[in-house]
Amino acid sequence: MTVRPRPAHTPLPAGCRTLFPQYFPYVDAAPRGAASPPVRRHIPAGQAAKEMVHVSQTPVLALRGVFKRFGAVQVLSGVDLEVHAGEVVALVGDNGAGKSTLVKTIAGVHPIDEGVIEWEGAKVDISRPHDAQNLGVATVYQDLALCDNLDVVANLFLGREIKKGGVLDEVAMEKRAQDLLSTLSIRIPSVRIPVAALSGGQRQVVAIARALVGNPKIVILDEPTAALGVEQTAQVLDLVERLREQNLGVILISHNMADVKAVADKVAVLRLGHNNGIFPVATTSHEEIIAAITGATDNAVTRRKSRSAEASK
């Protein structure tokens, strides 16, 4: 039997890659004996940061069976949530699902009625905002709560001013502000410019930077991109990724599924005060998340299937 020699490597015509890019995610294979060229992976924006950040085994914050009611209205019913260091958890749900109430229980605004809150594996009691701040929880609400007449430095250290000899140490605060903004890659014309002169996106990142002055471990962002344009939204999402790279746990409340898919590691869905699923972003479709938010998965057919499954056990 005659063995024909293997033909030399023939590169693909240039037009093939142009017309059918979906079939050629990698570079052309090298001939036998030649050094293999590096494989080029097309990684979506933000995914590289997700792959490189280490997520801790023990959650920094864990909620177990949390209940909260206001009079006769049951707002939260047995809600569970875990947030690890270096992880972005998106908290989503329809209006009235209980997202804001859940965040306020973590922040100490509304003490829980039943359930357990754990911090780094130990049970803790959060009954007032000061308790949450002492643990390391920082919350940025949707209204930002910035003072327009004060400059960036004064807003960052409002209530936490650095003093020297009983007098405000303006030099130390300005240096700390510049270092903090530089670490987060926040671009602002000057730290001495009044907040009223900043754009919406710049005001949002200043509010987030102010939350980091106390060196928190968990940062809660309530609708950070709700009133921003496209470019400003991109800046805030970049900042969220940088928080993850600094090994902080982030809880992101958002109605924008594109923002959620861009930066979150997992999505926790609330519906009518109950957990309605926790989904890993990498393996969950947009439609599955929307179905969990709207309750499309809860119907007569699915309930019959669940009952049949329970009966078979």
Side-chain angles (χ1 to χ4, degrees):
M1 182 178 66
T2 303
V3 179
R4 295 183 179 181
R6 180 183 176 91
H9 172 70
T10 304
L12 293 167
C16 291
R17 189 179 302 280
T18 304
L19 293 174
F20 308 104
Q22 66 272 28
Y23 299 116
F24 305 101
Y26 308 110
V27 296
D28 293 330
R32 275 190 173 181
S36 299
V39 178
R40 289 181 284 192
R41 291 178 57 203
H42 298 284
I43 303 178
Q47 184 174 331
K50 294 180 186 179
E51 293 179 355
M52 295 180 65
V53 175
H54 172 72
V55 176
S56 62
Q57 295 297 325
T58 303
V60 178
L61 174 69
L63 277 65
R64 317 285 187 192
V66 169
F67 287 79
K68 181 63 184 178
R69 68 181 61 86
F70 296 101
V73 179
Q74 188 73 44
V75 183
L76 299 176
S77 300
V79 174
D80 297 329
L81 183 68
E82 288 187 355
V83 184
H84 295 75
E87 180 181 51
V88 178
V89 179
L91 185 62
V92 301
D94 205 353
N95 292 334
K99 304 185 299 298
S100 296
T101 301
L102 182 62
V103 164
K104 289 178 180 179
T105 60
I106 299 172
V109 177
H110 298 316
I112 63 174
D113 296 328
E114 300 176 39
V116 174
I117 299 178
E118 296 179 358
W119 185 264
E120 297 180 334
K123 181 180 177 181
V124 295
D125 180 28
I126 302 178
S127 57
R128 55 198 180 114
H130 194 63
D131 296 335
Q133 293 173 5
N134 288 340
L135 288 173
V137 177
T139 306
V140 181
Y141 294 102
Q142 193 169 354
D143 59 3
L144 303 183
L146 296 174
C147 298
D148 290 345
N149 61 317
L150 300 180
D151 59 24
V152 174
V153 175
N155 272 278
L156 289 179
F157 291 93
L158 192 61
R160 299 177 179 176
E161 293 82 358
I162 300 176
K163 296 181 180 180
K164 185 177 181 180
V167 181
L168 294 180
D169 193 342
E170 296 286 352
V171 176
M173 288 192 291
E174 182 171 339
K175 185 179 184 303
R176 175 78 189 281
Q178 291 174 340
D179 291 343
L180 178 61
L181 298 178
S182 176
T183 301
L184 298 174
S185 300
I186 297 175
R187 298 184 299 272
I188 290 179
S190 171
V191 293
R192 289 301 180 182
I193 190 173
V195 166
L198 299 178
S199 67
Q202 291 171 333
R203 293 162 65 93
Q204 183 71 59
V205 296
V206 167
I208 296 174
R210 182 180 62 183
L212 302 181
V213 171
N215 298 319
K217 295 182 179 180
I218 296 290
V219 180
I220 303 173
L221 305 178
D222 187 3
E223 296 282 1
T225 63
L228 303 182
V230 175
E231 179 60 30
Q232 297 169 336
T233 297
Q235 294 175 4
V236 173
L237 296 181
D238 289 343
L239 179 55
V240 172
E241 289 188 342
R242 285 191 286 274
L243 296 180
R244 173 172 49 207
E245 292 167 3
Q246 294 184 12
N247 210 34
L248 298 178
V250 180
I251 300 177
L252 174 67
I253 301 177
S254 180
H255 284 93
N256 191 316
M257 288 299 105
D259 295 351
V260 168
K261 296 282 284 185
V263 299
D265 298 294
K266 66 182 181 184
V267 180
V269 179
L270 288 183
R271 175 167 170 76
L272 302 177
H274 297 78
N275 283 114
N276 204 30
I278 297 178
F279 306 94
V281 170
T283 59
T284 306
S285 67
H286 183 98
E287 290 74 16
E288 289 176 296
I289 299 175
I290 296 298
I293 293 173
T294 60
T297 55
D298 183 19
N299 52 50
V301 176
T302 57
R303 291 196 179 190
R304 287 186 62 195
K305 287 184 179 179
S306 64
R307 290 196 189 104
S308 300
E310 291 176 0
S312 62
K313 294 178 181 180

